[in-house]
Amino acid sequence: MVEKSRPTIWEHAQARGVSRRDFLSACAWMTAMLGLPATAVSEVASALESKPRLPVVWFHFQECTCCSESFIRSTHPAVADIILDKLSLDYTETLQAAAGAQAEEALRNTMTKYRGQYLMLVEGSVPTAANGVYCCIGGRTAEDIVKEAAAGAKAVISWGSCACNGCVQAAKPNPTQATPIHKIISGMPIIRVPGCPPIAEVMTGTIVHLLAFDRIPQLDGLGRPLAFYSRRVHDTCYRRPNYDAGLFVNSFDDENARRGYCLYKVGCRGPVTYNSCGVMRWNGGTSFPIQSGHGCIGCSEANFWDNGPFYHHLPSFPGFGIETTADKIGVGLAAATAAGVAAHAVVTNIRKRGLIRQELNMSEDVKDARAEQGGE
């Protein structure tokens, strides 16, 4: 059990001046973000009121720290404060004040004192070539550190594509043999949150689920939280109607680009990328790459650096048969549209002629009836 002396999440937030109203508002916001019904708000609030802050060790290996940069940029300031208050960041090389021997001591104390209770967060891939010498911390290789820390962790979260699939470090020819976390350790819960970087609310939402329900969220076959990775970027893209109509941007400076047509033909990988960018967006819900005019590069999918040039469209066109290309479907839909317009015009013309003929017949009947009445 975690020591009773550790303040609960609500107590810690309250000590920092967070009001009860803000706390409940944050609980409601987080419940909605996780896709839970409104009835779950009280359950989330109760959990955060009774549970102490979760001890966390956050490692950085072969990466650029973009995941941490994303994590600290929550959209609502009050919510951001509470989310950070939920965690006891006992060891994090990027944010902690301690360095050197003091930092290593903080890590050792947490791993010993809270064995089986702390959450292990990892950014970056682990090099295994040359006995792991390409990434060492405190005289130890990243591989040794990961294995030791995972042995006493409650759960492991792999942040970003580096930790989930190797990302750019694992791109061909992968000289350091950069390896994702789930291939280094096994036999324990590992949540994969890919992206370069992941969306801030996706990261915090994953942690909140662990805090509120004391279990990992529902995952897909690749270990990703279904709440955030169940749909393709393509499925929630506001340009999808143009895709369906066969209206594509052919170059970034053409008239179609100015009209906001589909970016598939200039390399957008939204049809094969699972993420919630189109729904949650970035920078407080302001925008996402496709909205800014650049196609999705598929950064949350494995091997995206090696899946061909970013500005060449994929050979198949998902949704219309694996052999269909964007060029064929564009021409086909244009022809079908033209044929549909012509057919509609013909049918409409026939219908109108029928109505006119019917009205004329009715007029003749009225005249005949009046003539008969006048004759009587």
Side-chain angles (χ1 to χ4, degrees):
M1 297 293 291
V2 178
E3 291 181 345
K4 293 183 179 180
S5 59
R6 293 176 68 90
T8 66
I9 294 169
W10 161 236
E11 289 171 345
H12 188 80
Q14 192 176 30
R16 291 173 58 88
V18 177
S19 68
R20 180 67 179 174
R21 180 184 294 273
D22 285 340
F23 176 76
L24 293 177
S25 175
C27 291
W29 184 86
M30 289 183 288
T31 301
M33 181 181 65
L34 292 171
L36 301 173
T39 53
V41 174
S42 59
E43 186 177 354
V44 171
S46 176
L48 300 185
E49 286 174 338
S50 59
K51 294 184 178 181
R53 291 194 301 157
L54 186 66
V56 170
V57 293
W58 188 319
F59 296 102
H60 297 261
F61 300 124
Q62 289 190 135
E63 43 86 36
C64 68
T65 322
C66 65
C67 299
S68 291
E69 290 284 350
S70 178
F71 180 78
I72 63 177
R73 285 168 170 77
S74 300
T75 54
H76 192 293
V79 173
D81 290 340
I82 293 175
I83 286 173
L84 291 175
D85 287 340
K86 286 174 174 50
L87 306 177
S88 177
L89 291 174
D90 297 344
Y91 177 84
T92 169
E93 296 159 2
T94 303
L95 301 176
Q96 67 188 13
Q102 289 181 330
E104 293 303 306
E105 183 182 2
L107 172 61
R108 183 68 52 192
N109 288 342
T110 300
M111 291 172 56
T112 302
K113 192 174 183 180
Y114 301 108
R115 185 173 180 81
Q117 301 167 13
Y118 62 83
L119 182 62
M120 176 178 169
L121 311 179
V122 185
E123 279 186 68
S125 59
V126 174
T128 58
N131 296 319
V133 298
Y134 294 107
C135 184
C136 294
I137 301 172
R140 304 178 61 205
T141 67
E143 185 174 4
D144 288 340
I145 295 171
V146 165
K147 289 179 178 179
E148 180 186 19
K154 179 177 183 177
V156 177
I157 300 180
S158 297
W159 289 145
S161 292
C162 294
C164 291
N165 52 58
C167 201
V168 64
Q169 295 88 346
K172 295 177 182 178
N174 191 3
T176 68
Q177 290 302 302
T179 306
I181 302 305
H182 66 277
K183 292 187 177 181
I184 298 294
I185 58 178
S186 60
M188 66 175 316
I190 302 177
I191 306 170
R192 298 165 65 182
V193 184
C196 193
I199 300 172
E201 289 74 19
V202 171
M203 299 174 73
T204 54
T206 302
I207 292 176
V208 166
H209 192 286
L210 278 166
L211 285 168
F213 302 104
D214 199 29
R215 63 176 182 271
I216 64 174
Q218 185 178 4
L219 307 177
D220 66 9
L222 296 178
R224 306 175 296 190
L226 273 175
F228 307 113
Y229 295 94
S230 61
R231 291 186 291 178
R232 299 174 299 173
V233 173
H234 175 71
D235 297 330
T236 55
C237 180
Y238 75 100
R239 297 184 189 231
R240 176 64 186 265
N242 292 318
Y243 169 100
D244 293 334
L247 302 174
F248 300 99
V249 173
N250 293 299
S251 64
F252 286 108
D253 59 350
D254 67 6
E255 184 61 29
N256 291 350
R258 286 184 281 274
R259 291 175 178 173
Y261 287 175
C262 178
L263 296 165
Y264 180 85
K265 291 177 71 172
V266 289
C268 182
R269 296 178 182 175
V272 294
T273 301
Y274 287 82
N275 212 329
S276 50
C277 301
V279 177
M280 306 186 77
R281 306 188 182 186
W282 298 80
N283 297 326
T286 301
S287 181
F288 69 114
I290 293 174
Q291 187 174 341
S292 70
H294 193 286
C296 169
I297 64 172
C299 73
S300 56
E301 298 300 315
N303 305 316
F304 75 96
W305 285 101
D306 295 324
N307 286 336
F310 287 149
Y311 301 109
H312 290 183
H313 70 71
L314 302 172
S316 62
F317 199 85
F320 288 96
I322 196 168
E323 299 301 329
T324 307
T325 65
D327 304 298
K328 291 180 181 178
I329 199 65
V331 173
L333 285 175
T337 301
V341 170
H344 178 72
V346 171
V347 171
T348 300
N349 194 28
I350 293 174
R351 186 183 297 112
K352 286 183 177 179
R353 288 186 179 184
L355 291 174
I356 293 172
R357 187 179 298 109
Q358 184 177 357
E359 290 180 2
L360 289 174
N361 291 336
M362 290 177 63
S363 298
E364 292 297 328
D365 292 339
V366 170
K367 288 180 181 180
D368 293 341
R370 287 177 178 174
E372 290 179 1
Q373 292 175 0
E376 295 175 353

